[in-house]
Amino acid sequence: MTSQAPIGIFDSGVGGLSVLHDIHRLLPHENITYIADSQHAPYGNRSTHFIQKRSLELTQALIDKGCKLIVVACNTATTEAIQHIRDQVDLPIIGVEPAIKPAARYSKNRKIGVLATQRTTDSKRIRELIELYADHCEVSLQACPGLVEIIESNDQPTNLHLLENYLQPLLEKDIDALVLGCTHYPFIREQIEQIIGNDITIHETGKPVAEQINRVMQQANLANKKTKIGTITIYSSSDSTDSHTTISKLWPNPAILKNLNEEEPKHD
Ligand code: DGL
């Protein structure tokens, strides 16, 4: 495996672009290949079997494109499928999990809110994270059905009302820390801030994940040489032009945009 090989990232859709943003900022010389599985978003109401099968297929697609390390840039797929992928793939696999640990460390009143998909708020893993890092805190979990769809369709400003419904119960709990437990949500951070004001600290996972990737690559001698800015290639599994429009809006930096399903067949 050469250090010039790309870092592979996938998400149920465009959410992982928020993680791509942090990875590219910390590691600008890395080539990156991203797959948005927008044809199948949201994963939040899919079965564990589906998420595991699809996550493995996307991992394999990234391996076929020569990736040296895989980032599961989706909290839901990390919870449901990361072990399944690690059991079958012999590459470093890095996942994302809600930032409960830093939120618990920095919360002054020990009242934390978590926004995430229904599958993540219902998961065994989130209960483990709370027990491990926040057993001294009051943690309020808020599932947000519909938000991923809004972000995928880029229909954000018109749907503040739904967001208010999800944030209101957390505001009533007097939280001073809010965890964005889905990689799509950083794209509506401004709208969230408009509702919660300045006194609540927002915690995301992109930066710590980028730092973890850096550590793993240094240890495995996989970091690319700092000679030129890396190439970003973004695939979507959705044929709709909406998907490409959303991607272009969320990732305005120059990137190569491709349709995953129109790839030429592989030859041996
Ligand atoms: N970005 C995914 C996450 O972090 C969204 C999951 C979904 O598609 O429901 O959980």
PDB file of all heavy atoms in Angstrom, residues 7 9 16-34 71 206-207 209-211 213 217 228-234 251-255:
ATOM      1  N   ILE A   7      -7.309   8.201   1.119  1.00  0.00           N
ATOM      2  CA  ILE A   7      -8.114   7.841   2.293  1.00  0.00           C
ATOM      3  C   ILE A   7      -9.536   7.641   1.756  1.00  0.00           C
ATOM      4  O   ILE A   7     -10.033   8.470   0.990  1.00  0.00           O
ATOM      5  CB  ILE A   7      -8.117   8.997   3.317  1.00  0.00           C
ATOM      6  CG1 ILE A   7      -6.714   9.196   3.896  1.00  0.00           C
ATOM      7  CG2 ILE A   7      -9.141   8.756   4.423  1.00  0.00           C
ATOM      8  CD1 ILE A   7      -6.585  10.437   4.796  1.00  0.00           C
ATOM      9  N   ILE A   9     -13.601   7.387   2.368  1.00  0.00           N
ATOM     10  CA  ILE A   9     -14.626   7.807   3.348  1.00  0.00           C
ATOM     11  C   ILE A   9     -15.993   7.437   2.789  1.00  0.00           C
ATOM     12  O   ILE A   9     -16.240   7.627   1.595  1.00  0.00           O
ATOM     13  CB  ILE A   9     -14.618   9.335   3.569  1.00  0.00           C
ATOM     14  CG1 ILE A   9     -13.206   9.839   3.892  1.00  0.00           C
ATOM     15  CG2 ILE A   9     -15.600   9.754   4.636  1.00  0.00           C
ATOM     16  CD1 ILE A   9     -13.125  11.368   4.056  1.00  0.00           C
ATOM     17  N   GLY A  16     -21.114  12.911   5.724  1.00  0.00           N
ATOM     18  CA  GLY A  16     -19.680  12.694   5.944  1.00  0.00           C
ATOM     19  C   GLY A  16     -18.809  13.766   5.308  1.00  0.00           C
ATOM     20  O   GLY A  16     -17.616  13.850   5.593  1.00  0.00           O
ATOM     21  N   LEU A  17     -19.421  14.624   4.456  1.00  0.00           N
ATOM     22  CA  LEU A  17     -18.632  15.742   3.905  1.00  0.00           C
ATOM     23  C   LEU A  17     -18.186  16.676   5.026  1.00  0.00           C
ATOM     24  O   LEU A  17     -17.176  17.368   4.902  1.00  0.00           O
ATOM     25  CB  LEU A  17     -19.448  16.525   2.862  1.00  0.00           C
ATOM     26  CG  LEU A  17     -19.799  15.786   1.560  1.00  0.00           C
ATOM     27  CD1 LEU A  17     -20.733  16.639   0.710  1.00  0.00           C
ATOM     28  CD2 LEU A  17     -18.544  15.426   0.765  1.00  0.00           C
ATOM     29  N   SER A  18     -18.953  16.690   6.137  1.00  0.00           N
ATOM     30  CA  SER A  18     -18.523  17.525   7.274  1.00  0.00           C
ATOM     31  C   SER A  18     -17.237  16.947   7.882  1.00  0.00           C
ATOM     32  O   SER A  18     -16.371  17.690   8.350  1.00  0.00           O
ATOM     33  CB  SER A  18     -19.634  17.636   8.337  1.00  0.00           C
ATOM     34  OG  SER A  18     -19.900  16.386   8.929  1.00  0.00           O
ATOM     35  N   VAL A  19     -17.102  15.624   7.844  1.00  0.00           N
ATOM     36  CA  VAL A  19     -15.888  14.975   8.357  1.00  0.00           C
ATOM     37  C   VAL A  19     -14.756  15.168   7.341  1.00  0.00           C
ATOM     38  O   VAL A  19     -13.616  15.460   7.712  1.00  0.00           O
ATOM     39  CB  VAL A  19     -16.153  13.469   8.611  1.00  0.00           C
ATOM     40  CG1 VAL A  19     -14.918  12.782   9.175  1.00  0.00           C
ATOM     41  CG2 VAL A  19     -17.343  13.283   9.557  1.00  0.00           C
ATOM     42  N   LEU A  20     -15.091  15.021   6.052  1.00  0.00           N
ATOM     43  CA  LEU A  20     -14.112  15.271   4.982  1.00  0.00           C
ATOM     44  C   LEU A  20     -13.493  16.662   5.144  1.00  0.00           C
ATOM     45  O   LEU A  20     -12.272  16.849   4.998  1.00  0.00           O
ATOM     46  CB  LEU A  20     -14.813  15.136   3.620  1.00  0.00           C
ATOM     47  CG  LEU A  20     -14.072  15.604   2.367  1.00  0.00           C
ATOM     48  CD1 LEU A  20     -12.724  14.933   2.208  1.00  0.00           C
ATOM     49  CD2 LEU A  20     -14.915  15.350   1.125  1.00  0.00           C
ATOM     50  N   HIS A  21     -14.342  17.628   5.479  1.00  0.00           N
ATOM     51  CA  HIS A  21     -13.886  19.006   5.668  1.00  0.00           C
ATOM     52  C   HIS A  21     -12.761  19.062   6.718  1.00  0.00           C
ATOM     53  O   HIS A  21     -11.711  19.659   6.490  1.00  0.00           O
ATOM     54  CB  HIS A  21     -15.094  19.830   6.121  1.00  0.00           C
ATOM     55  CG  HIS A  21     -14.793  21.265   6.328  1.00  0.00           C
ATOM     56  ND1 HIS A  21     -14.753  22.170   5.309  1.00  0.00           N
ATOM     57  CD2 HIS A  21     -14.479  21.952   7.450  1.00  0.00           C
ATOM     58  CE1 HIS A  21     -14.436  23.353   5.781  1.00  0.00           C
ATOM     59  NE2 HIS A  21     -14.270  23.251   7.087  1.00  0.00           N
ATOM     60  N   ASP A  22     -12.993  18.405   7.867  1.00  0.00           N
ATOM     61  CA  ASP A  22     -11.986  18.438   8.946  1.00  0.00           C
ATOM     62  C   ASP A  22     -10.741  17.646   8.566  1.00  0.00           C
ATOM     63  O   ASP A  22      -9.623  18.012   8.941  1.00  0.00           O
ATOM     64  CB  ASP A  22     -12.591  17.905  10.251  1.00  0.00           C
ATOM     65  CG  ASP A  22     -13.534  18.923  10.862  1.00  0.00           C
ATOM     66  OD1 ASP A  22     -13.100  20.062  11.107  1.00  0.00           O
ATOM     67  OD2 ASP A  22     -14.719  18.598  11.059  1.00  0.00           O
ATOM     68  N   ILE A  23     -10.938  16.530   7.841  1.00  0.00           N
ATOM     69  CA  ILE A  23      -9.773  15.713   7.434  1.00  0.00           C
ATOM     70  C   ILE A  23      -8.911  16.524   6.453  1.00  0.00           C
ATOM     71  O   ILE A  23      -7.692  16.594   6.583  1.00  0.00           O
ATOM     72  CB  ILE A  23     -10.232  14.380   6.793  1.00  0.00           C
ATOM     73  CG1 ILE A  23     -10.997  13.525   7.817  1.00  0.00           C
ATOM     74  CG2 ILE A  23      -9.029  13.602   6.250  1.00  0.00           C
ATOM     75  CD1 ILE A  23     -11.657  12.286   7.243  1.00  0.00           C
ATOM     76  N   HIS A  24      -9.580  17.167   5.500  1.00  0.00           N
ATOM     77  CA  HIS A  24      -8.826  17.926   4.482  1.00  0.00           C
ATOM     78  C   HIS A  24      -8.119  19.128   5.112  1.00  0.00           C
ATOM     79  O   HIS A  24      -7.011  19.483   4.714  1.00  0.00           O
ATOM     80  CB  HIS A  24      -9.786  18.378   3.378  1.00  0.00           C
ATOM     81  CG  HIS A  24      -9.106  19.068   2.234  1.00  0.00           C
ATOM     82  ND1 HIS A  24      -8.106  18.473   1.482  1.00  0.00           N
ATOM     83  CD2 HIS A  24      -9.256  20.303   1.718  1.00  0.00           C
ATOM     84  CE1 HIS A  24      -7.692  19.313   0.553  1.00  0.00           C
ATOM     85  NE2 HIS A  24      -8.363  20.437   0.681  1.00  0.00           N
ATOM     86  N   ARG A  25      -8.764  19.722   6.128  1.00  0.00           N
ATOM     87  CA  ARG A  25      -8.134  20.873   6.788  1.00  0.00           C
ATOM     88  C   ARG A  25      -6.863  20.445   7.528  1.00  0.00           C
ATOM     89  O   ARG A  25      -5.837  21.107   7.463  1.00  0.00           O
ATOM     90  CB  ARG A  25      -9.120  21.533   7.762  1.00  0.00           C
ATOM     91  CG  ARG A  25      -8.551  22.845   8.284  1.00  0.00           C
ATOM     92  CD  ARG A  25      -9.577  23.812   8.754  1.00  0.00           C
ATOM     93  NE  ARG A  25     -10.549  23.174   9.627  1.00  0.00           N
ATOM     94  CZ  ARG A  25     -11.645  23.766  10.037  1.00  0.00           C
ATOM     95  NH1 ARG A  25     -11.919  24.983   9.643  1.00  0.00           N
ATOM     96  NH2 ARG A  25     -12.478  23.151  10.840  1.00  0.00           N
ATOM     97  N   LEU A  26      -6.936  19.306   8.242  1.00  0.00           N
ATOM     98  CA  LEU A  26      -5.757  18.849   9.001  1.00  0.00           C
ATOM     99  C   LEU A  26      -4.712  18.200   8.091  1.00  0.00           C
ATOM    100  O   LEU A  26      -3.515  18.319   8.335  1.00  0.00           O
ATOM    101  CB  LEU A  26      -6.190  17.852  10.087  1.00  0.00           C
ATOM    102  CG  LEU A  26      -5.080  17.382  11.016  1.00  0.00           C
ATOM    103  CD1 LEU A  26      -4.634  18.507  11.945  1.00  0.00           C
ATOM    104  CD2 LEU A  26      -5.503  16.166  11.829  1.00  0.00           C
ATOM    105  N   LEU A  27      -5.200  17.494   7.054  1.00  0.00           N
ATOM    106  CA  LEU A  27      -4.286  16.702   6.215  1.00  0.00           C
ATOM    107  C   LEU A  27      -4.462  17.084   4.735  1.00  0.00           C
ATOM    108  O   LEU A  27      -4.918  16.266   3.921  1.00  0.00           O
ATOM    109  CB  LEU A  27      -4.599  15.198   6.410  1.00  0.00           C
ATOM    110  CG  LEU A  27      -4.586  14.700   7.861  1.00  0.00           C
ATOM    111  CD1 LEU A  27      -5.251  13.349   7.986  1.00  0.00           C
ATOM    112  CD2 LEU A  27      -3.144  14.623   8.362  1.00  0.00           C
ATOM    113  N   PRO A  28      -4.111  18.332   4.395  1.00  0.00           N
ATOM    114  CA  PRO A  28      -4.425  18.814   3.038  1.00  0.00           C
ATOM    115  C   PRO A  28      -3.694  18.067   1.923  1.00  0.00           C
ATOM    116  O   PRO A  28      -4.094  18.156   0.774  1.00  0.00           O
ATOM    117  CB  PRO A  28      -3.996  20.295   3.090  1.00  0.00           C
ATOM    118  CG  PRO A  28      -3.055  20.389   4.235  1.00  0.00           C
ATOM    119  CD  PRO A  28      -3.450  19.350   5.223  1.00  0.00           C
ATOM    120  N   HIS A  29      -2.619  17.344   2.269  1.00  0.00           N
ATOM    121  CA  HIS A  29      -1.853  16.676   1.206  1.00  0.00           C
ATOM    122  C   HIS A  29      -2.375  15.283   0.897  1.00  0.00           C
ATOM    123  O   HIS A  29      -1.877  14.629  -0.028  1.00  0.00           O
ATOM    124  CB  HIS A  29      -0.367  16.613   1.600  1.00  0.00           C
ATOM    125  CG  HIS A  29       0.160  17.966   1.918  1.00  0.00           C
ATOM    126  ND1 HIS A  29       0.280  18.445   3.201  1.00  0.00           N
ATOM    127  CD2 HIS A  29       0.524  18.984   1.107  1.00  0.00           C
ATOM    128  CE1 HIS A  29       0.720  19.689   3.172  1.00  0.00           C
ATOM    129  NE2 HIS A  29       0.875  20.042   1.912  1.00  0.00           N
ATOM    130  N   GLU A  30      -3.360  14.838   1.655  1.00  0.00           N
ATOM    131  CA  GLU A  30      -3.899  13.499   1.411  1.00  0.00           C
ATOM    132  C   GLU A  30      -4.886  13.511   0.242  1.00  0.00           C
ATOM    133  O   GLU A  30      -5.733  14.396   0.134  1.00  0.00           O
ATOM    134  CB  GLU A  30      -4.620  12.984   2.668  1.00  0.00           C
ATOM    135  CG  GLU A  30      -3.716  12.719   3.838  1.00  0.00           C
ATOM    136  CD  GLU A  30      -2.713  11.589   3.578  1.00  0.00           C
ATOM    137  OE1 GLU A  30      -3.006  10.693   2.771  1.00  0.00           O
ATOM    138  OE2 GLU A  30      -1.631  11.635   4.195  1.00  0.00           O
ATOM    139  N   ASN A  31      -4.782  12.495  -0.627  1.00  0.00           N
ATOM    140  CA  ASN A  31      -5.821  12.263  -1.628  1.00  0.00           C
ATOM    141  C   ASN A  31      -6.992  11.592  -0.913  1.00  0.00           C
ATOM    142  O   ASN A  31      -6.780  10.756  -0.023  1.00  0.00           O
ATOM    143  CB  ASN A  31      -5.283  11.346  -2.728  1.00  0.00           C
ATOM    144  CG  ASN A  31      -4.109  11.980  -3.438  1.00  0.00           C
ATOM    145  OD1 ASN A  31      -4.207  13.123  -3.881  1.00  0.00           O
ATOM    146  ND2 ASN A  31      -3.002  11.264  -3.536  1.00  0.00           N
ATOM    147  N   ILE A  32      -8.203  11.966  -1.277  1.00  0.00           N
ATOM    148  CA  ILE A  32      -9.383  11.428  -0.571  1.00  0.00           C
ATOM    149  C   ILE A  32     -10.438  10.986  -1.586  1.00  0.00           C
ATOM    150  O   ILE A  32     -10.719  11.694  -2.557  1.00  0.00           O
ATOM    151  CB  ILE A  32      -9.988  12.486   0.384  1.00  0.00           C
ATOM    152  CG1 ILE A  32      -8.945  12.915   1.431  1.00  0.00           C
ATOM    153  CG2 ILE A  32     -11.244  11.940   1.065  1.00  0.00           C
ATOM    154  CD1 ILE A  32      -9.412  13.969   2.423  1.00  0.00           C
ATOM    155  N   THR A  33     -10.991   9.812  -1.360  1.00  0.00           N
ATOM    156  CA  THR A  33     -12.116   9.335  -2.176  1.00  0.00           C
ATOM    157  C   THR A  33     -13.319   9.162  -1.252  1.00  0.00           C
ATOM    158  O   THR A  33     -13.227   8.472  -0.226  1.00  0.00           O
ATOM    159  CB  THR A  33     -11.769   7.985  -2.840  1.00  0.00           C
ATOM    160  OG1 THR A  33     -10.633   8.186  -3.678  1.00  0.00           O
ATOM    161  CG2 THR A  33     -12.928   7.474  -3.687  1.00  0.00           C
ATOM    162  N   TYR A  34     -14.424   9.824  -1.585  1.00  0.00           N
ATOM    163  CA  TYR A  34     -15.606   9.850  -0.721  1.00  0.00           C
ATOM    164  C   TYR A  34     -16.789   9.222  -1.471  1.00  0.00           C
ATOM    165  O   TYR A  34     -17.009   9.520  -2.650  1.00  0.00           O
ATOM    166  CB  TYR A  34     -15.927  11.312  -0.376  1.00  0.00           C
ATOM    167  CG  TYR A  34     -17.144  11.494   0.512  1.00  0.00           C
ATOM    168  CD1 TYR A  34     -17.002  11.660   1.882  1.00  0.00           C
ATOM    169  CD2 TYR A  34     -18.433  11.503  -0.022  1.00  0.00           C
ATOM    170  CE1 TYR A  34     -18.108  11.829   2.701  1.00  0.00           C
ATOM    171  CE2 TYR A  34     -19.542  11.658   0.789  1.00  0.00           C
ATOM    172  CZ  TYR A  34     -19.367  11.822   2.148  1.00  0.00           C
ATOM    173  OH  TYR A  34     -20.482  11.982   2.949  1.00  0.00           O
ATOM    174  N   VAL A  71     -12.709   5.413   6.418  1.00  0.00           N
ATOM    175  CA  VAL A  71     -13.388   6.168   7.472  1.00  0.00           C
ATOM    176  C   VAL A  71     -14.895   5.961   7.319  1.00  0.00           C
ATOM    177  O   VAL A  71     -15.460   6.282   6.273  1.00  0.00           O
ATOM    178  CB  VAL A  71     -13.073   7.679   7.375  1.00  0.00           C
ATOM    179  CG1 VAL A  71     -13.723   8.443   8.533  1.00  0.00           C
ATOM    180  CG2 VAL A  71     -11.570   7.918   7.342  1.00  0.00           C
ATOM    181  N   GLY A 206     -15.822  15.768  13.837  1.00  0.00           N
ATOM    182  CA  GLY A 206     -14.918  15.783  12.680  1.00  0.00           C
ATOM    183  C   GLY A 206     -13.452  15.968  13.034  1.00  0.00           C
ATOM    184  O   GLY A 206     -12.586  15.230  12.549  1.00  0.00           O
ATOM    185  N   LYS A 207     -13.165  16.940  13.921  1.00  0.00           N
ATOM    186  CA  LYS A 207     -11.761  17.261  14.231  1.00  0.00           C
ATOM    187  C   LYS A 207     -11.070  16.100  14.962  1.00  0.00           C
ATOM    188  O   LYS A 207      -9.985  15.675  14.554  1.00  0.00           O
ATOM    189  CB  LYS A 207     -11.715  18.563  15.048  1.00  0.00           C
ATOM    190  CG  LYS A 207     -10.386  19.210  15.083  1.00  0.00           C
ATOM    191  CD  LYS A 207     -10.496  20.682  15.495  1.00  0.00           C
ATOM    192  CE  LYS A 207      -9.149  21.188  15.938  1.00  0.00           C
ATOM    193  NZ  LYS A 207      -8.970  21.163  17.394  1.00  0.00           N
ATOM    194  N   VAL A 209     -11.755  13.027  14.833  1.00  0.00           N
ATOM    195  CA  VAL A 209     -11.607  11.902  13.894  1.00  0.00           C
ATOM    196  C   VAL A 209     -10.404  12.154  12.970  1.00  0.00           C
ATOM    197  O   VAL A 209      -9.592  11.259  12.717  1.00  0.00           O
ATOM    198  CB  VAL A 209     -12.906  11.688  13.070  1.00  0.00           C
ATOM    199  CG1 VAL A 209     -12.676  10.773  11.880  1.00  0.00           C
ATOM    200  CG2 VAL A 209     -13.987  11.108  13.972  1.00  0.00           C
ATOM    201  N   ALA A 210     -10.269  13.412  12.503  1.00  0.00           N
ATOM    202  CA  ALA A 210      -9.128  13.752  11.644  1.00  0.00           C
ATOM    203  C   ALA A 210      -7.809  13.527  12.410  1.00  0.00           C
ATOM    204  O   ALA A 210      -6.837  12.990  11.860  1.00  0.00           O
ATOM    205  CB  ALA A 210      -9.246  15.208  11.188  1.00  0.00           C
ATOM    206  N   GLU A 211      -7.795  13.899  13.701  1.00  0.00           N
ATOM    207  CA  GLU A 211      -6.570  13.709  14.500  1.00  0.00           C
ATOM    208  C   GLU A 211      -6.258  12.215  14.679  1.00  0.00           C
ATOM    209  O   GLU A 211      -5.106  11.797  14.627  1.00  0.00           O
ATOM    210  CB  GLU A 211      -6.733  14.395  15.860  1.00  0.00           C
ATOM    211  CG  GLU A 211      -6.639  15.909  15.725  1.00  0.00           C
ATOM    212  CD  GLU A 211      -7.216  16.679  16.912  1.00  0.00           C
ATOM    213  OE1 GLU A 211      -7.746  16.041  17.843  1.00  0.00           O
ATOM    214  OE2 GLU A 211      -7.154  17.912  16.876  1.00  0.00           O
ATOM    215  N   ILE A 213      -7.094   9.826  12.560  1.00  0.00           N
ATOM    216  CA  ILE A 213      -6.594   9.336  11.266  1.00  0.00           C
ATOM    217  C   ILE A 213      -5.108   9.665  11.134  1.00  0.00           C
ATOM    218  O   ILE A 213      -4.300   8.831  10.723  1.00  0.00           O
ATOM    219  CB  ILE A 213      -7.402   9.978  10.104  1.00  0.00           C
ATOM    220  CG1 ILE A 213      -8.836   9.479  10.137  1.00  0.00           C
ATOM    221  CG2 ILE A 213      -6.748   9.694   8.746  1.00  0.00           C
ATOM    222  CD1 ILE A 213      -9.793  10.281   9.266  1.00  0.00           C
ATOM    223  N   MET A 217      -2.167   6.914  10.674  1.00  0.00           N
ATOM    224  CA  MET A 217      -1.325   6.926   9.468  1.00  0.00           C
ATOM    225  C   MET A 217       0.147   7.082   9.816  1.00  0.00           C
ATOM    226  O   MET A 217       1.004   6.485   9.167  1.00  0.00           O
ATOM    227  CB  MET A 217      -1.773   8.043   8.518  1.00  0.00           C
ATOM    228  CG  MET A 217      -3.104   7.719   7.863  1.00  0.00           C
ATOM    229  SD  MET A 217      -3.400   8.700   6.397  1.00  0.00           S
ATOM    230  CE  MET A 217      -3.019  10.313   6.980  1.00  0.00           C
ATOM    231  N   LYS A 228       2.166  18.252  -2.579  1.00  0.00           N
ATOM    232  CA  LYS A 228       1.110  19.073  -3.209  1.00  0.00           C
ATOM    233  C   LYS A 228      -0.237  18.770  -2.562  1.00  0.00           C
ATOM    234  O   LYS A 228      -0.403  17.733  -1.901  1.00  0.00           O
ATOM    235  CB  LYS A 228       1.060  18.829  -4.714  1.00  0.00           C
ATOM    236  CG  LYS A 228       0.782  17.411  -5.134  1.00  0.00           C
ATOM    237  CD  LYS A 228       0.728  17.359  -6.654  1.00  0.00           C
ATOM    238  CE  LYS A 228       0.713  15.994  -7.194  1.00  0.00           C
ATOM    239  NZ  LYS A 228      -0.144  15.102  -7.414  1.00  0.00           N
ATOM    240  N   ILE A 229      -1.194  19.676  -2.783  1.00  0.00           N
ATOM    241  CA  ILE A 229      -2.533  19.506  -2.209  1.00  0.00           C
ATOM    242  C   ILE A 229      -3.186  18.261  -2.823  1.00  0.00           C
ATOM    243  O   ILE A 229      -3.093  18.037  -4.039  1.00  0.00           O
ATOM    244  CB  ILE A 229      -3.391  20.769  -2.490  1.00  0.00           C
ATOM    245  CG1 ILE A 229      -2.768  21.990  -1.801  1.00  0.00           C
ATOM    246  CG2 ILE A 229      -4.836  20.592  -2.052  1.00  0.00           C
ATOM    247  CD1 ILE A 229      -2.727  21.919  -0.289  1.00  0.00           C
ATOM    248  N   GLY A 230      -3.806  17.456  -1.980  1.00  0.00           N
ATOM    249  CA  GLY A 230      -4.389  16.193  -2.443  1.00  0.00           C
ATOM    250  C   GLY A 230      -5.621  16.394  -3.325  1.00  0.00           C
ATOM    251  O   GLY A 230      -6.257  17.443  -3.313  1.00  0.00           O
ATOM    252  N   THR A 231      -5.930  15.337  -4.081  1.00  0.00           N
ATOM    253  CA  THR A 231      -7.110  15.361  -4.954  1.00  0.00           C
ATOM    254  C   THR A 231      -8.308  14.796  -4.195  1.00  0.00           C
ATOM    255  O   THR A 231      -8.192  13.777  -3.520  1.00  0.00           O
ATOM    256  CB  THR A 231      -6.857  14.450  -6.187  1.00  0.00           C
ATOM    257  OG1 THR A 231      -5.674  14.908  -6.799  1.00  0.00           O
ATOM    258  CG2 THR A 231      -8.011  14.490  -7.164  1.00  0.00           C
ATOM    259  N   ILE A 232      -9.451  15.461  -4.318  1.00  0.00           N
ATOM    260  CA  ILE A 232     -10.678  14.977  -3.662  1.00  0.00           C
ATOM    261  C   ILE A 232     -11.611  14.462  -4.759  1.00  0.00           C
ATOM    262  O   ILE A 232     -11.949  15.204  -5.686  1.00  0.00           O
ATOM    263  CB  ILE A 232     -11.410  16.118  -2.918  1.00  0.00           C
ATOM    264  CG1 ILE A 232     -10.455  16.941  -2.057  1.00  0.00           C
ATOM    265  CG2 ILE A 232     -12.598  15.577  -2.120  1.00  0.00           C
ATOM    266  CD1 ILE A 232     -10.044  16.353  -0.770  1.00  0.00           C
ATOM    267  N   THR A 233     -12.016  13.213  -4.651  1.00  0.00           N
ATOM    268  CA  THR A 233     -12.959  12.634  -5.614  1.00  0.00           C
ATOM    269  C   THR A 233     -14.209  12.205  -4.855  1.00  0.00           C
ATOM    270  O   THR A 233     -14.105  11.479  -3.864  1.00  0.00           O
ATOM    271  CB  THR A 233     -12.329  11.414  -6.311  1.00  0.00           C
ATOM    272  OG1 THR A 233     -11.057  11.793  -6.824  1.00  0.00           O
ATOM    273  CG2 THR A 233     -13.218  10.904  -7.449  1.00  0.00           C
ATOM    274  N   ILE A 234     -15.350  12.704  -5.279  1.00  0.00           N
ATOM    275  CA  ILE A 234     -16.595  12.420  -4.547  1.00  0.00           C
ATOM    276  C   ILE A 234     -17.551  11.661  -5.466  1.00  0.00           C
ATOM    277  O   ILE A 234     -17.867  12.109  -6.569  1.00  0.00           O
ATOM    278  CB  ILE A 234     -17.264  13.729  -4.071  1.00  0.00           C
ATOM    279  CG1 ILE A 234     -16.289  14.513  -3.180  1.00  0.00           C
ATOM    280  CG2 ILE A 234     -18.563  13.426  -3.320  1.00  0.00           C
ATOM    281  CD1 ILE A 234     -16.806  15.860  -2.708  1.00  0.00           C
ATOM    282  N   TRP A 251     -19.789  21.111  -0.627  1.00  0.00           N
ATOM    283  CA  TRP A 251     -18.338  21.004  -0.842  1.00  0.00           C
ATOM    284  C   TRP A 251     -17.970  21.880  -2.034  1.00  0.00           C
ATOM    285  O   TRP A 251     -17.742  21.405  -3.147  1.00  0.00           O
ATOM    286  CB  TRP A 251     -17.921  19.550  -1.081  1.00  0.00           C
ATOM    287  CG  TRP A 251     -16.421  19.465  -1.116  1.00  0.00           C
ATOM    288  CD1 TRP A 251     -15.619  19.476  -2.222  1.00  0.00           C
ATOM    289  CD2 TRP A 251     -15.537  19.421   0.000  1.00  0.00           C
ATOM    290  NE1 TRP A 251     -14.292  19.457  -1.875  1.00  0.00           N
ATOM    291  CE2 TRP A 251     -14.210  19.411  -0.501  1.00  0.00           C
ATOM    292  CE3 TRP A 251     -15.720  19.402   1.385  1.00  0.00           C
ATOM    293  CZ2 TRP A 251     -13.105  19.373   0.324  1.00  0.00           C
ATOM    294  CZ3 TRP A 251     -14.599  19.356   2.204  1.00  0.00           C
ATOM    295  CH2 TRP A 251     -13.309  19.340   1.670  1.00  0.00           C
ATOM    296  N   PRO A 252     -17.942  23.213  -1.820  1.00  0.00           N
ATOM    297  CA  PRO A 252     -17.706  24.118  -2.942  1.00  0.00           C
ATOM    298  C   PRO A 252     -16.267  24.104  -3.458  1.00  0.00           C
ATOM    299  O   PRO A 252     -15.999  24.607  -4.545  1.00  0.00           O
ATOM    300  CB  PRO A 252     -18.083  25.500  -2.390  1.00  0.00           C
ATOM    301  CG  PRO A 252     -18.265  25.343  -0.931  1.00  0.00           C
ATOM    302  CD  PRO A 252     -18.177  23.898  -0.551  1.00  0.00           C
ATOM    303  N   ASN A 253     -15.346  23.503  -2.688  1.00  0.00           N
ATOM    304  CA  ASN A 253     -13.943  23.455  -3.142  1.00  0.00           C
ATOM    305  C   ASN A 253     -13.880  22.592  -4.397  1.00  0.00           C
ATOM    306  O   ASN A 253     -14.693  21.700  -4.555  1.00  0.00           O
ATOM    307  CB  ASN A 253     -13.051  22.805  -2.078  1.00  0.00           C
ATOM    308  CG  ASN A 253     -13.292  23.358  -0.707  1.00  0.00           C
ATOM    309  OD1 ASN A 253     -14.195  24.144  -0.524  1.00  0.00           O
ATOM    310  ND2 ASN A 253     -12.508  22.949   0.255  1.00  0.00           N
ATOM    311  N   PRO A 254     -12.899  22.808  -5.257  1.00  0.00           N
ATOM    312  CA  PRO A 254     -12.815  21.981  -6.462  1.00  0.00           C
ATOM    313  C   PRO A 254     -12.682  20.504  -6.092  1.00  0.00           C
ATOM    314  O   PRO A 254     -11.900  20.141  -5.225  1.00  0.00           O
ATOM    315  CB  PRO A 254     -11.548  22.473  -7.155  1.00  0.00           C
ATOM    316  CG  PRO A 254     -11.227  23.769  -6.526  1.00  0.00           C
ATOM    317  CD  PRO A 254     -11.854  23.803  -5.181  1.00  0.00           C
ATOM    318  N   ALA A 255     -13.492  19.686  -6.712  1.00  0.00           N
ATOM    319  CA  ALA A 255     -13.415  18.238  -6.477  1.00  0.00           C
ATOM    320  C   ALA A 255     -13.909  17.560  -7.737  1.00  0.00           C
ATOM    321  O   ALA A 255     -14.610  18.160  -8.542  1.00  0.00           O
ATOM    322  CB  ALA A 255     -14.293  17.842  -5.290  1.00  0.00           C
TER     323      ALA A 255
END
